[in-house]
Amino acid sequence: MKNYFLLKLTAVILVVLALPFAFFGCKDGGKRDEDNALPTPDAIIEGSTFELTPAQKEIAAEIIKNLYGAEPIDIISVFETKLPELYLYNLYSSTLEEYENGYGRIACEEADAIAELVFGNKIAFKTLKSEPLPDIYAEGDYYYIKLSDNALPEVTIESVARIQRTLAANLTESVHSVGISYDTGEALTFYFLPHENENGFIVRAILERTTN
């Protein structure tokens, strides 16, 4: 009887001691899963219909205007650095007030918010200050942008079509294909992906079409 009591007591103690580790283990394990998870744009609308409204077409044209000079790229990701900075430069180089030595500045936090709205991601890698000074660079908490009065070419949207494109085997996405022309004679196709942000879409790809 004594041995039975001791065995029962030992079993109860072991269960009680094991419970906190079981609960804490689940909690820690869950946190590790979140920390190790690949970053995904969780605001992308899967399998939804996507039509550009007249207002969205105006926004798209303004975005495309500020991407003048961009190199074609099939998928714009968090690892793409030149496009967000090119966009910021075109957007601000003729509108900022001078801060010093022919440069204006905006907070990096504001720059990240703009990049996230247009491309779906913050700026991952920033151009740093160097000699000679680049047209746009980050230092401290600010982006410094060389001021210019160069006018950007006007954009005309030539065509808009909703298409299903293949990324890889058994992997497709529904995008809006927007054919545009600049008044310089250059023509490109932009892909916009639906997104739950203020604009309703993000820039997904830029494809070169023709140059007259």
Side-chain angles (χ1 to χ4, degrees), residues 128-140:
L128 301 179
K129 186 176 182 180
S130 61
E131 294 295 339
L133 287 176
D135 288 342
I136 178 170
Y137 64 89
E139 185 179 44

Side-chain angles (χ1 to χ4, degrees), residues 5 22 60 66 105 125 150 187:
F5 176 76
N66 286 304
R105 72 174 189 175
F125 305 102
N150 291 335

Side-chain angles (χ1 to χ4, degrees), residues 41-50 174 193-197 200-201:
D42 55 5
I44 287 178
I45 308 167
E46 296 293 346
S48 64
T49 58
F50 175 48
S174 182
L193 190 68
H195 200 282
E196 290 180 344
N197 62 14
F201 59 84

Side-chain angles (χ1 to χ4, degrees), residues 52-61 199 201:
L52 287 179
T53 66
Q56 285 177 318
K57 288 180 183 178
E58 291 183 10
I59 294 170
N199 292 338
F201 59 84

